[in-house]
Amino acid sequence: MSESSSIGTNSSSGLGTIQSSQSGSSDYSDISGTTVPLILVTSHRDDTGSKLGSQVSFKQLPANRYCYTSWHEVRNAEVKGDQLNCPRVREGPREKEKTFYSLTDEDGNLIHHDRRGRKRMDYRNKMENWENAVSVNLSFQDLGDAYQRENFLRILKRLIRTEELQLMDNSLTDLHTVNLPLCKYLNLSRNYIPAFKKLPRLPVVEHLYLEQNNITTLDGLDVLRKAPLQSLHLRSNPVSFTVNYRQRVFQILPNLKSLDGVKRLPSDSVFEAEEEPSRMCVLC
């Protein structure tokens, strides 16, 4: 199961919530056209019986018991994944399963549903509902562990109707097994993608953001030639510092209209002379 939190009503429990517009609220920050919740600390200071000079003690907040709970694991949950804005999809640790069916709230009521085995998996898939998600933001997921990346790929492979997808800052290196048949806008900025061959299949992509990755050559860029690609962003990749970078990109993608936010220029068809490396040996 996944640890989930969502942009919307402020919640220290980590549960997904439906997006709620609150103008002027200081709990939200605007990042690349979306909002993200501030970090909430699940502990508070306990001054009961404390004396001057004594060590300050901290207790966990009641909401801490929800820290590994996904929105669809709560009893009587009705919200589905395609209704969430920027959900957290991290899986909880193995220790979570030890208390999943016994964890209670402050009133002694069970927190999680009682489905087990295959029924639990089917219910998770139904409530996630990724197959019907059109616009999805799965950025900033902190996928350091292998089992987190496996769960993340599981979700990506279900986004068969997604048209707009944000995957920024996820330490991703390889998505070539993922197919995004309806995706028109994909943002993979600030990852570790090493080559175009590691991208997902994007037959209808129009706008592709790959800034701050680790792409060193234009090999494999021609896989995007059949797509109706209009704008491509490759700033801060090693390849963007090579000679005739813009010229070579437009040569490979003749229908591309914009590169790195700059529309195609007449000079993008004129190749500069490349200096041959010197074969002389200099003795010092």
Side-chain angles (χ1 to χ4, degrees):
M1 294 295 100
S2 59
E3 172 191 352
S4 171
S5 65
S6 169
I7 294 171
T9 305
N10 195 1
S11 169
S12 61
S13 66
L15 298 181
T17 56
I18 300 177
Q19 182 179 6
S20 173
S21 166
Q22 298 181 11
S23 60
S25 171
S26 61
D27 291 340
Y28 304 91
S29 302
D30 188 9
I31 298 180
S32 299
T34 185
T35 50
V36 294
L38 298 179
I39 296 173
L40 299 171
V41 181
T42 55
S43 63
H44 69 281
R45 179 172 176 173
D46 180 18
D47 291 325
T48 306
S50 64
K51 298 180 180 180
L52 186 64
S54 63
Q55 186 175 4
V56 177
S57 62
F58 289 85
K59 296 195 306 183
Q60 290 183 336
L61 290 174
N64 184 71
R65 68 192 73 195
Y66 293 92
C67 64
Y68 299 127
T69 300
S70 300
W71 80 93
H72 53 76
E73 294 172 337
V74 178
R75 298 176 70 87
N76 303 318
E78 297 181 355
V79 178
K80 294 188 177 182
D82 60 318
Q83 295 176 282
L84 300 177
N85 187 26
C86 198
R88 292 283 284 178
V89 296
R90 284 171 47 80
E91 287 195 355
R94 294 180 179 179
E95 291 76 14
K96 169 185 175 179
E97 294 302 313
K98 297 179 181 179
T99 60
F100 184 85
Y101 297 105
S102 60
L103 195 63
T104 59
D105 60 21
E106 292 180 282
D107 298 324
N109 300 314
L110 291 173
I111 290 175
H112 300 135
H113 62 68
D114 58 359
R115 296 172 180 82
R116 297 174 183 269
R118 185 63 189 176
K119 289 184 177 179
R120 180 176 169 184
M121 293 297 100
D122 290 343
Y123 181 73
R124 177 199 66 181
N125 293 337
K126 175 185 175 182
M127 295 304 293
E128 287 181 337
N129 198 34
W130 298 125
E131 286 80 4
N132 292 313
V134 177
S135 180
V136 180
N137 190 342
L138 297 177
S139 301
F140 314 110
Q141 293 292 330
D142 190 15
L143 306 172
D145 298 309
Y147 72 94
Q148 298 290 7
R149 293 191 292 272
E150 291 174 4
N151 183 58
F152 193 70
L153 285 174
R154 174 188 69 83
I155 292 172
L156 293 183
K157 291 177 180 180
R158 294 178 60 191
L159 300 178
I160 58 176
R161 292 183 176 87
T162 298
E163 298 180 8
E164 180 179 337
L165 181 57
Q166 302 269 4
L167 299 176
M168 295 180 293
D169 205 355
N170 282 322
S171 302
L172 300 172
T173 59
D174 189 354
L175 296 177
H176 82 278
T177 60
V178 177
N179 183 27
L180 300 171
L182 298 182
C183 185
K184 298 180 180 179
Y185 174 100
L186 175 60
N187 193 335
L188 274 167
S189 298
R190 298 199 295 275
N191 282 283
Y192 299 120
I193 302 294
F196 292 103
K197 294 180 179 180
K198 299 298 183 179
L199 294 176
R201 289 186 289 277
L202 300 163
V204 297
V205 67
E206 296 178 2
H207 305 283
L208 180 57
Y209 288 76
L210 295 169
E211 296 172 319
Q212 298 183 46
N213 275 272
N214 192 34
I215 300 174
T216 57
T217 74
L218 296 179
D219 294 343
L221 180 59
D222 56 345
V223 300
L224 298 172
R225 184 176 295 170
K226 295 182 179 179
L229 189 63
Q230 298 181 25
S231 65
L232 176 64
H233 297 259
L234 294 172
R235 273 190 296 247
S236 298
N237 280 274
V239 70
S240 67
F241 300 102
T242 58
V243 178
N244 292 319
Y245 153 68
R246 288 183 60 87
Q247 290 86 342
R248 289 186 291 132
V249 170
F250 283 111
Q251 184 182 56
I252 297 171
L253 302 175
N255 296 322
L256 187 67
K257 296 180 180 179
S258 172
L259 177 61
D260 297 334
V262 179
K263 292 183 178 180
R264 186 168 188 166
L265 304 170
S267 59
D268 291 327
S269 299
V270 181
F271 282 76
E272 299 179 13
E274 298 187 30
E275 296 183 2
E276 294 185 1
S278 175
R279 297 181 181 178
M280 296 180 60
C281 180
V282 179
L283 299 177
C284 298

